[in-house]
Amino acid sequence: MAAHARTSAVVGLALVATVTAACSGGTGSHSGSAPPSPAPASHAAARGGNTPNSPAPTESNPPGDIPDNQVYVAYRPGGGTFTFTGFTVKVPEGWARTDQKNTTVFTDKLNTVRITAASASSAPTVGSVTNTVVPQLRTHVPKFAAPKVSEVPRHAGRVVLLTYQGDSAKDPVTGKVVRDAFERYAFYRSGHEVDLTLSGPVNADNVDPWRIVSDSFTWQ
């Protein structure tokens, strides 16, 4: 009987040890496991870009605005393009240039400076521009609107200014059309008329650049 009791006690102790080890191992495995890995950062955050809820970056200049640090250079027409070359005018440096007969055009993005010279028997007036030029433009400028004719002072003297709006030509790449604002200055001296047309998007703030260009016109 004593031997049987000792045997039962040993078996009981072995069972307790086994159960305790099993419980200890399970608990240790759970508590000792590494915490869940954090979710990977989004591609935009990894690249330092905008997340879906962050605002888009603000453009430094609205479309069509000519920078304040734009440099201007004097342009004098050559005899190969113009039959009359007796004038100079400042134009923005670096703009693309296109020459046609008695016309030179400077362009950059959405803005244009167009210079045209022609013989004229008399000086343009508010009435002549209203009655002759406006109807011509109405047939050539898409969605021509809001014409206004007046006389304004410039360094070269008083000139006739025609302002109006119209649609630009369709961009060959994007297919977009821009609503443009035009300023057309008519300079005249001794049988020669030079028309200076400045254009850019309606919402562009180009008052100062256009004043620089139109005030720079000088007869030679």
Side-chain angles (χ1 to χ4, degrees):
M1 287 296 294
H4 179 73
R6 286 196 300 271
T7 301
S8 298
V10 170
V11 172
L13 290 173
L15 289 174
V16 171
T18 301
V19 173
T20 302
C23 294
S24 174
T27 305
S29 174
H30 178 73
S31 60
S33 62
S37 299
S42 67
H43 292 297
R47 292 194 305 266
N50 296 319
T51 60
N53 295 327
S54 65
T58 302
E59 296 290 338
S60 58
N61 287 309
D65 273 17
I66 299 173
D68 293 337
N69 61 352
Q70 174 66 56
V71 177
Y72 299 84
V73 294
Y75 165 75
R76 181 167 183 173
T81 301
F82 287 81
T83 55
F84 173 69
T85 60
F87 65 92
T88 61
V89 61
K90 287 184 178 181
V91 297
E93 184 179 44
W95 286 22
R97 172 179 164 180
T98 303
D99 293 318
Q100 301 172 0
K101 184 63 176 177
N102 288 320
T103 299
T104 293
V105 180
F106 296 89
T107 57
D108 180 70
K109 301 180 179 70
L110 302 176
N111 297 298
T112 300
V113 174
R114 178 182 298 271
I115 306 164
T116 301
S119 298
S121 58
S122 60
T125 63
V126 171
S128 67
V129 171
T130 301
N131 297 327
T132 304
V133 178
V134 170
Q136 292 175 349
L137 293 174
R138 196 181 298 278
T139 62
H140 291 90
V141 178
K143 296 184 180 179
F144 178 87
K148 180 180 179 181
V149 186
S150 61
E151 282 193 5
V152 296
R154 287 298 183 265
H155 285 326
R158 294 193 67 81
V159 297
V160 179
L161 169 62
L162 166 61
T163 60
Y164 59 96
Q165 294 184 9
D167 281 358
S168 70
K170 183 182 293 185
D171 187 286
V173 177
T174 65
K176 293 183 178 180
V177 174
V178 177
R179 188 65 176 169
D180 282 337
F182 295 80
E183 297 181 11
R184 179 186 182 275
Y185 297 86
F187 299 86
Y188 177 86
R189 190 176 75 168
S190 303
H192 299 287
E193 180 176 337
V194 178
D195 297 327
L196 176 64
T197 303
L198 315 174
S199 62
V202 167
N203 293 325
D205 182 12
N206 288 334
V207 174
D208 291 338
W210 290 161
R211 184 62 186 246
I212 290 172
V213 175
S214 60
D215 255 343
S216 72
F217 184 92
T218 305
W219 298 105
Q220 300 295 307

